[in-house]
Amino acid sequence: MSPRSASVNEELRRRSRERILRAAVELVDTRGYEATTLGDIAERAGTARGLISYYFPGKRQLLQSAVHRLMHLTLEAALEREPRTEDGRERLARAIDAILGLAVEHPTLMRTHMAGILQAEGFVRCEEQQRLAFLLRDTLARYGSEDVDTDYPLLRALLMGAVVAVLLPGAPMPWTRLRSELFHRYGLDREAGVPPDGSPSGGTPSPGTPGGPGISRSSPAGSGR
């Protein structure tokens, strides 16, 4: 049997890494961080425990990469869902709704992720985080930002703050109020996007809803920038 080519080996490594990332999300989302071990993740991913250490320095770094992967895949799906649009305001509305939706749908996972970012290890810069950043920066550029390098960190901070507010133990804020504030901040029509609960917004139809209303083209109240 001839040895595998470099490209085949690279593809196998990519798939193995993605299985590990998916397994981490699934287990932490259902069991919590402390109750999930690297051995559990390896078993769920169908891979060797040592392979996780090859890809990631530790469990905290693994989880951050796993959640950033979930975030960029969720955001990408939201931006590209039908009807596809190049309208920057509609795409920004979809982006805000997608991130708020993760906090609503995966509270344990997202609370753990935010807590990890605030620990000593801080923010992990990985390829998954870079993909997420690219999508958000591209969204801002289409929205009409004249200085993406300045506007991107602010958008990131506002979205992180909204996620924390939704998940704050004992004093959570309703996602509807946070959505309204973010939409006002960026001068977006409240009918745009897809709300986290899947209810019709008047903008993009929810996934699985045939037809649906078209994207609102009314003028925003202000630029908000």
Side-chain angles (χ1 to χ4, degrees):
M1 179 181 296
S2 59
R4 291 194 297 259
S5 66
S7 61
V8 170
N9 285 330
E10 179 62 27
E11 177 64 15
L12 291 173
R13 285 192 292 270
R14 184 189 67 80
R15 292 182 183 180
S16 175
R17 190 175 186 275
E18 288 187 353
R19 287 198 304 272
I20 292 169
L21 293 170
R22 284 197 303 269
V25 162
E26 293 166 1
L27 290 175
V28 173
D29 198 27
T30 55
R31 299 182 185 178
Y33 182 76
E34 297 299 334
T36 301
T37 68
L38 291 178
D40 296 330
I41 295 171
E43 182 177 359
R44 173 66 68 92
T47 190
R49 164 66 178 80
L51 195 57
I52 295 181
S53 299
Y54 173 78
Y55 290 124
F56 306 98
K59 188 167 71 167
R60 185 67 65 184
Q61 291 85 354
L62 163 58
L63 181 62
Q64 276 204 44
S65 292
V67 175
H68 282 140
R69 177 179 181 272
L70 174 65
M71 292 175 73
H72 89 68
L73 290 176
T74 300
L75 179 56
E76 183 177 50
L79 294 173
E80 300 305 318
R81 68 162 48 98
E82 297 294 340
R84 293 189 75 259
T85 179
E86 300 301 320
D87 183 271
R89 295 184 182 277
E90 169 63 21
R91 290 176 73 86
L92 183 56
R94 294 186 189 189
I96 292 170
D97 283 344
I99 301 303
L100 285 176
L102 286 171
V104 172
E105 296 168 14
H106 303 279
T108 299
L109 181 71
M110 295 304 292
R111 188 177 290 116
T112 303
H113 175 62
M114 297 308 297
I117 289 176
L118 295 174
Q119 291 192 0
E121 294 86 349
F123 195 69
V124 174
R125 299 188 182 278
C126 56
E127 59 185 87
E128 287 76 20
Q129 183 271 328
Q130 291 172 357
R131 291 171 186 165
L132 176 63
F134 172 82
L135 290 174
L136 289 174
R137 290 174 65 90
D138 179 70
T139 297
L140 280 171
R142 295 174 190 241
Y143 166 74
S145 169
E146 296 178 358
D147 187 355
V148 174
D149 288 340
T150 298
D151 291 340
Y152 164 66
L154 177 58
L155 175 62
R156 183 181 63 195
L158 290 170
L159 291 174
M160 289 173 66
V163 169
V164 170
V166 169
L167 301 174
L168 190 63
M173 284 192 68
W175 65 261
T176 50
R177 174 64 186 275
L178 294 161
R179 180 182 194 264
S180 178
E181 290 294 326
L182 285 167
F183 273 41
H184 178 72
R185 167 69 177 75
Y186 286 99
L188 305 176
D189 297 332
R190 61 186 179 87
E191 295 83 6
V194 180
D197 63 356
S199 62
S201 64
T204 310
S206 301
T209 303
I215 297 171
S216 172
R217 297 296 181 185
S218 59
S219 299
S223 67
R225 291 186 296 153

